[in-house]
Amino acid sequence: MHKTLLMAAITATLFNSNMVFAESETDSIKQQLDALKKDYEQRIQALEARQLKRDSNLKKVKVKSALTNTSRPVSTGSNTFNPAISLILDGRYARFDNGPENYELPGFALAGEAGLGEKGLSIGHSELIISANIDDKFYGKMTLALAEHEGATEVELEEAFIQALGLGNGMTVKAGRFFSAIGYLNKQHAHYWDFADAPLIYRGLFGNQLIDDGLQFTYIAPTDTFLQLGAEALSGSRHPASGRTNGIGAWTAFADIGGDIGIEHSWQLGLSHWQANEIEGRESGGHAAHGGAAETPSFTGDSKINALDLVYKWAPNGNPKNQSLKLQFEYFDRKENGTVSMLNSGPPVETTSYDGHQKGWYAQAIYQFKPQWRAGLRYDQLDSNSTGSDVAVLGEAGLDNEGHTPKRTSAMLEWLPSEFSRVRLQYNRDDSYEKTDNQLLLQYTMSLGSHGAHQF
Amino acid sequence: MFYQGEKSVWLGVLLLSLCSNAAYAQINVFACEPEWAALTQELGGSAVKVYSATTAQQDPHHIQARPSLIAKVRRADLLVCTGAELEVGWLPLLLRRSGNGNIQPNRPGHFMAADHITLLEKPAVLDRSLGDIHAAGNPHFHFDPYRILQIAKALTTRMAKIDPANNDLYQKNGLDFSRKWSQAITQWEQQFRALRGRRIVVSHNSWVYLEQWLGLKKVATLEPKPGIPPSSTHLSKVLAELKQNPAEMILVADYQSDKSARWLAQKTALPVVGLPFSVAEKESLMQWFDRFLNQLLEAVP
């Protein structure tokens, strides 16, 4: 017992040596401190008085030219506008060899906004973005997109979510409508993308981008290397779920890991999974079919997507303002099981069992060679292998790959007069379907209002 | 049984020791720029573990919310940044993604230096045609030693608030710093008197506080507007102006491209002074001031 007490005493002494020292000398230190404090405070006051005098002298001089240029202490608000408002203006000129109405992606049933868009002069999505910290616990954001669709202006609510800020322990919760965290590009607004159009695999699987309503939870591990885990519970009401289920129609899980290598290199690797088990009547192909009573393919069954994304960035001295390089790769794999029926066909309605497998990837490199200039290359490739009881119906639904491997090569050149404006010239050699299409796009994207974020 | 009792007494004391020792655990500080990292390190000494998000070679306007930065913010107890919209492109995103409640705006762990001083050049008109201007005023105030003194004082108070266990240490370091820094100011003003009234050309409008302190006179700016790279037409205009109104040196931040400055130097035979825009690795604030002041003095004809 004595031995134990002795050990205990030693332990306590060892662990608390600083504290023992602190207590025994506290008084004398405090006295010294007080003396020092008085002395220095006088000096500091004298210095501050000097500075005030200098400032006011300067002010007197400057008052002649401008009313005032010395501000009051600023508040913590990070921008002038509360809430932050920004407007994105986007327009383009497009020239295609083939008619955009003939566009198809064999093996993928297109839906949503998938397609080439209009030829000639047109405006893209004009977006109004409003966001702010609601209080010290929540952040809110809304994005309204206005787009022209067959002669009518449509308003689309792209994003409307709140996000909890102060949960602590690396946890964040988002609720509302948001871009799903699957893949890498999907999380970003299309106007942040490095090319004027979505990668083919995004076009084929998501109709350009996966947006849904629901809840997102993320957790960041307390490690030096960035490690994020997250999951989403989604309504599943939007493509590629389009299920008419109540409650949770789709869900995702994702993991991201990333970090820096020295000062000049940084990277991120992401794995993600999307799943919808009870898809009921997902329609597609509506855009492609014209003339007569359109037979619309409708899918019922389950769908699973696995994705991998890899991003690497380089900037000399870690300073991306003057020069930088970005390499990006994404791979998606979708498996589906169920039945496909052609609506408005028959009677009897044409139906087939469906065992679908689609996959695709793209890789791109963007090189910023001068502060205001960027150039980029991208290559897309898709593949599908779907089977069913009635091959003819699969073909009609656009799910037969027709022995073709869709691919596309793109090159772009961007001029960025400032952080808020961009003019882009892009060329695609598009082999989405058998007939090669040469596409030329000239696009401007400008942002008015509050400063955007520099995402990774 | 008896043996177990002994063991738990020992364990209990060990646990107690560990707990009380936790008061001496370092607080994690995320500094947006190296000058604030250096200042925090000086004020916090062994009680703080400081990470600087940028180096002196990086333009603090143009940082991306990299994964590594999110991981660092996630673990920070205190954020020390410039504020005044300097980090507007990346800091809000880091904060939102970090899942860290302690360093959100309006929390004690959120320290913006600009909130504790007055800023120069607050624009009367906010219009993007004027370039990338900051509504709150010019955020490059780390070149003014007087403002640094004010910020050091506010930061000392804030650190003591976050980590009251080390209050005495912070107060002592704060006073030490103020004393040394005040002496240094007096000395710098003596030693670098020769800089007063010197006529300079600047590349970006990042030196107003230095100009004000040292009494430098800016006669031209290479950027036509803040954040807009110099065009050849603007440069020839600057060249023409300099014929009328000559300067003595061209100032650039050493992370900036000095191409246009070199071009102008060739035409005018003016020396180009590439000043370190912030503290280098393992350098103190005072060493940095000494270094760039000497560099300026050397360029004086």
Side-chain angles (χ1 to χ4, degrees):
Chain A
M1 188 68 194
H2 281 298
K3 208 171 163 191
T4 317
L5 279 176
L6 188 68
M7 267 176 85
I10 289 169
T11 318
T13 318
L14 276 176
F15 277 90
N16 289 317
S17 49
N18 346 13
M19 191 138 157
V20 172
F21 164 79
E23 271 173 23
S24 66
E25 305 219 340
T26 303
D27 286 345
S28 68
I29 287 178
K30 273 206 174 129
Q31 277 165 13
Q32 282 174 24
L33 271 177
D34 286 343
L36 279 171
K37 211 172 178 174
K38 265 182 207 151
D39 181 23
Y40 303 149
E41 265 174 2
Q42 280 164 3
R43 288 183 195 216
I44 293 163
Q45 272 163 12
L47 274 168
E48 278 177 0
R50 268 164 69 192
Q51 190 206 3
L52 271 176
K53 208 174 139 199
R54 284 151 35 89
D55 274 359
S56 65
N57 283 344
L58 190 94
K59 214 170 167 180
K60 274 177 209 155
V61 176
K62 294 265 167 128
V63 151
K64 287 174 198 160
S65 53
L67 255 151
T68 173
N69 63 356
T70 304
S71 76
R72 311 243 112 233
V74 284
S75 73
T76 34
S78 55
N79 53 63
T80 1
F81 304 99
N82 189 20
I85 298 171
S86 57
L87 180 67
I88 309 290
L89 296 177
D90 182 89
R92 69 176 200 175
Y93 168 78
R95 210 194 70 87
F96 306 121
D97 275 358
N98 304 348
E101 64 282 356
N102 297 328
Y103 185 81
E104 54 172 333
L105 209 48
F108 292 76
L110 293 178
E113 291 177 18
L116 294 182
E118 289 173 54
K119 63 180 177 189
L121 289 163
S122 64
I123 60 164
H125 281 193
S126 306
E127 291 180 328
L128 182 65
I129 304 159
I130 300 175
S131 69
N133 283 346
I134 294 161
D135 51 28
D136 64 336
K137 295 192 173 51
F138 297 100
Y139 166 84
K141 182 179 185 186
M142 185 186 79
T143 305
L144 273 181
L146 286 102
E148 195 88 343
H149 259 278
E150 284 152 15
T153 303
E154 288 177 4
V155 179
E156 193 195 341
L157 188 61
E158 280 196 348
E159 282 181 298
F161 67 83
I162 57 156
Q163 188 176 359
L165 297 170
L167 290 181
N169 296 317
M171 290 184 290
T172 311
V173 172
K174 221 187 233 186
R177 176 171 299 176
F178 48 81
F179 294 116
S180 168
I182 189 161
Y184 168 75
L185 271 190
N186 197 70
K187 288 170 273 201
Q188 301 180 3
H189 260 288
H191 58 252
Y192 277 119
W193 293 355
D194 295 314
F195 289 87
D197 40 20
L200 287 184
I201 190 68
Y202 276 78
R203 190 181 275 172
L205 297 187
F206 306 122
N208 288 351
Q209 203 161 10
L210 177 58
I211 304 175
D212 209 338
D213 303 347
L215 267 176
Q216 184 192 66
F217 171 81
T218 62
Y219 168 74
I220 294 171
T223 48
D224 255 347
T225 304
F226 172 74
L227 173 65
Q228 175 179 264
L229 303 171
E232 291 164 338
L234 304 168
S235 75
S237 60
R238 298 182 133 226
H239 192 81
S242 312
R244 296 180 180 111
T245 49
N246 296 319
I248 299 171
W251 59 271
T252 70
F254 53 95
D256 296 289
I257 180 165
D260 292 344
I261 306 165
I263 283 170
E264 300 194 332
H265 313 268
S266 46
W267 61 279
Q268 183 177 284
L269 171 73
L271 294 170
S272 45
H273 176 84
W274 176 92
Q275 188 166 336
N277 291 333
E278 290 166 46
I279 297 175
E280 219 184 297
R282 180 185 76 201
E283 292 174 20
S284 55
H287 278 272
H290 276 282
E295 294 185 1
T296 308
S298 166
F299 167 73
T300 296
D302 62 69
S303 176
K304 297 182 184 83
I305 301 175
N306 287 316
L308 176 132
D309 58 87
L310 185 60
V311 179
Y312 161 83
K313 290 188 185 186
W314 168 83
N317 291 318
N319 186 28
K321 188 178 180 195
N322 300 322
Q323 209 188 352
S324 67
L325 175 72
K326 178 182 176 192
L327 304 177
Q328 185 178 322
F329 169 83
E330 288 193 74
Y331 175 81
F332 288 82
D333 178 294
R334 177 166 78 179
K335 289 199 171 90
E336 299 194 311
N337 219 316
T339 57
V340 172
S341 330
M342 300 302 291
L343 304 181
N344 304 324
S345 68
V349 172
E350 295 168 10
T351 298
T352 174
S353 70
Y354 172 55
D355 189 3
H357 190 188
Q358 288 122 337
K359 57 195 176 212
W361 59 274
Y362 74 90
Q364 66 180 51
I366 308 292
Y367 181 48
Q368 180 198 359
F369 52 98
K370 282 173 97 170
Q372 296 179 310
W373 290 91
R374 284 159 35 105
L377 281 174
R378 178 181 67 185
Y379 180 76
D380 283 277
Q381 189 171 319
L382 306 183
D383 192 15
S384 68
N385 180 20
S386 305
T387 52
S389 54
D390 192 332
V391 181
V393 176
L394 277 190
E396 259 183 89
L399 292 166
D400 182 358
N401 67 19
E402 299 165 19
H404 180 77
T405 305
K407 45 185 176 286
R408 181 178 64 179
T409 308
S410 315
M412 71 85 181
L413 181 68
E414 280 177 359
W415 174 52
L416 305 113
S418 77
E419 270 198 86
F420 306 97
S421 54
R422 179 181 66 206
V423 179
R424 176 189 286 148
L425 180 67
Q426 183 180 328
Y427 166 76
N428 294 338
R429 185 186 161 82
D430 190 349
D431 289 303
S432 286
Y433 53 102
E434 291 84 348
K435 200 174 164 202
T436 302
D437 190 11
N438 291 297
Q439 302 162 350
L440 197 67
L441 299 152
L442 182 62
Q443 183 196 28
Y444 66 80
T445 310
M446 315 258 158
S447 120
L448 289 74
S450 70
H451 201 296
H454 305 161
Q455 304 187 56
F456 182 80
Chain B
M1 186 66 203
F2 181 64
Y3 177 71
Q4 280 221 330
E6 270 181 52
K7 211 172 172 184
S8 49
V9 167
W10 194 82
L11 250 172
V13 174
L14 180 68
L15 273 175
L16 266 174
S17 316
L18 284 173
C19 286
S20 55
N21 217 44
Y24 291 91
Q26 291 180 314
I27 60 166
N28 281 315
V29 181
F30 181 96
C32 289
E33 290 85 23
E35 63 268 17
W36 308 131
L39 180 62
T40 316
Q41 189 64 65
E42 216 147 330
L43 298 175
S46 58
V48 293
K49 192 171 166 220
V50 185
Y51 172 78
S52 177
T54 56
T55 70
Q57 294 301 311
Q58 290 172 307
D59 184 341
H61 292 96
H62 292 274
I63 299 301
Q64 290 179 330
R66 298 196 310 275
S68 61
L69 297 182
I70 299 170
K72 291 286 183 193
V73 173
R74 186 296 186 204
R75 294 198 296 167
D77 302 302
L78 173 64
L79 199 78
V80 183
C81 297
T82 299
E85 295 185 359
L86 180 65
E87 300 98 351
V88 68
W90 49 285
L91 189 60
L93 199 62
L94 289 182
L95 292 178
R96 275 208 301 283
R97 290 198 57 189
S98 69
N100 181 348
N102 301 325
I103 41 86
Q104 300 296 331
N106 300 322
R107 298 285 183 88
H110 188 91
F111 183 91
M112 296 287 127
D115 295 351
H116 303 275
I117 52 161
T118 57
L119 300 187
L120 296 178
E121 293 191 330
K122 187 179 161 74
V125 182
L126 286 176
D127 188 329
R128 286 264 160 73
S129 68
L130 304 173
D132 196 2
I133 50 172
H134 296 266
N138 190 311
H140 305 297
F141 46 78
H142 61 301
F143 281 101
D144 179 0
Y146 291 93
R147 284 183 167 83
I148 286 189
L149 201 57
Q150 286 177 302
I151 292 161
K153 230 167 133 182
L155 185 55
T156 304
T157 315
R158 187 64 66 88
M159 288 165 82
K161 190 172 173 189
I162 289 194
D163 183 19
N166 283 311
N167 179 41
D168 286 358
L169 175 77
Y170 298 136
Q171 298 301 340
K172 183 184 168 298
N173 289 349
L175 286 169
D176 273 352
F177 177 80
S178 297
R179 176 181 54 85
K180 280 193 293 185
W181 194 254
S182 308
Q183 282 169 356
I185 292 178
T186 317
Q187 203 199 326
W188 286 326
E189 286 177 353
Q190 277 296 110
Q191 194 182 345
F192 299 100
R193 239 179 337 188
L195 293 172
R196 188 154 289 279
R198 294 292 163 186
R199 306 163 60 79
I200 57 167
V201 177
V202 301
S203 116
H204 177 71
N205 200 11
S206 6
W207 315 98
V208 269
Y209 296 92
L210 191 65
E211 289 156 21
Q212 192 207 345
W213 178 44
L214 296 173
L216 301 168
K217 287 210 169 65
K218 179 172 74 190
V219 293
T221 309
L222 296 185
E223 283 184 352
K225 277 151 196 175
I228 310 293
S231 61
S232 49
T233 38
H234 181 75
L235 284 178
S236 21
K237 227 166 78 190
V238 170
L239 187 61
E241 273 172 28
L242 288 179
K243 291 223 168 89
Q244 302 287 319
N245 201 359
E248 289 166 285
M249 58 178 101
I250 307 168
L251 242 62
V252 294
D254 64 4
Y255 69 76
Q256 280 163 340
S257 153
D258 63 353
K259 238 173 74 187
S260 11
R262 295 255 162 249
W263 178 86
L264 192 67
Q266 244 180 13
K267 301 272 177 191
T268 56
L270 292 180
V272 176
V273 191
L275 290 191
F277 204 65
S278 186
V279 180
E281 215 180 329
K282 301 212 168 97
E283 192 179 38
S284 73
L285 270 175
M286 207 171 282
Q287 288 165 333
W288 170 59
F289 261 75
D290 271 330
R291 183 155 65 101
F292 75 73
L293 286 169
N294 275 308
Q295 240 180 300
L296 275 173
L297 195 62
E298 276 165 29
V300 168

